[in-house]
Amino acid sequence: GAPVNARYRGARAIVVERNAYRIERARAMGAAAVIDPGDPEALAQIESLTDGIGVDAALDCSGVVAAQRMCIDAVRRRGRVAFVGECHDELPIRVSPDLIRKGLTLIGNWHYNLADYQGVMHVIRHSPLLDLLVSHVLPMSGIQQAFEISASQQCAKIILDPWR
């Protein structure tokens, strides 16, 4: 989903991903680069792709502390980081170097605000990547199958169609 939003806004997406299925999806969606988070040089690769400045904005959908930390470290001064992946572990934030000196804006969001719904739907409706955003459409009776597909991590978005 994040590469769809980035492309819609004309932004270059640098994706950090380890799952082979998601790597292929990100490339098909036009990601400028896909970086393995397990690579010890991952942050250096991001810095190299941004001429040492860092990315303007970072989005963590995984809820993995190491990924959240990489978002904070990868953004430029006065950059923005959004956390949407549910996480129950503690993320160490160093107030002075992370927030005060870099001037970062951190945002957490569990759900889209209902007021944002029309804008989100506009991006989806006008995206040339819709076929890549949704990998499975199942009838509502296929909810168990949807959970199994989701758990396999071999999918993009799964839609349950109540009228099928």
Side-chain angles (χ1 to χ4, degrees), residues 28 73 78:
D73 293 337
R78 299 183 48 102

Side-chain angles (χ1 to χ4, degrees), residues 12 57 59 62 69 72 144 159:
R12 178 175 64 148
L59 171 66
S62 70
R69 185 71 236 172
I72 291 170
Q144 181 60 41
I159 303 291

Side-chain angles (χ1 to χ4, degrees), residues 57-143:
L59 171 66
D60 174 65
C61 302
S62 70
V64 174
V65 170
Q68 293 172 335
R69 185 71 236 172
M70 182 174 288
C71 286
I72 291 170
D73 293 337
V75 294
R76 65 172 171 76
R77 286 182 44 76
R78 299 183 48 102
R80 293 166 291 138
V81 179
F83 303 111
V84 298
E86 186 77 24
C87 181
H88 299 287
D89 296 324
E90 290 189 33
L91 169 64
I93 294 178
R94 303 164 311 200
V95 173
S96 289
D98 292 340
L99 302 177
I100 295 171
R101 291 186 205 137
K102 275 182 96 171
L104 297 189
T105 299
L106 302 181
I107 303 164
N109 200 355
W110 192 27
H111 296 281
Y112 283 107
N113 184 305
L114 190 54
D116 296 334
Y117 180 78
Q118 290 299 325
V120 171
M121 290 296 102
H122 180 81
V123 171
I124 291 170
R125 270 191 220 103
H126 293 90
S127 173
L129 303 174
L130 186 59
D131 290 341
L132 293 171
L133 180 64
V134 177
S135 62
H136 297 80
V137 178
L138 301 168
M140 188 63 76
S141 62
I143 194 165

Side-chain angles (χ1 to χ4, degrees), residues 2-19:
V4 170
N5 197 10
R7 183 164 166 187
Y8 177 81
R9 297 174 187 290
R12 178 175 64 148
I14 299 171
V15 175
V16 179
E17 181 59 63
R18 159 176 313 209
N19 177 292

Side-chain angles (χ1 to χ4, degrees), residues 1 3-4 7 15-36 129 131-133 135 153-156:
V4 170
R7 183 164 166 187
V15 175
V16 179
E17 181 59 63
R18 159 176 313 209
N19 177 292
Y21 182 92
R22 292 179 185 152
I23 288 169
E24 183 56 38
R25 280 285 161 141
R27 286 187 175 132
M29 289 179 168
V34 179
I35 297 170
D36 179 351
L129 303 174
D131 290 341
L132 293 171
L133 180 64
S135 62
Q153 297 185 357
Q154 301 301 302
C155 61

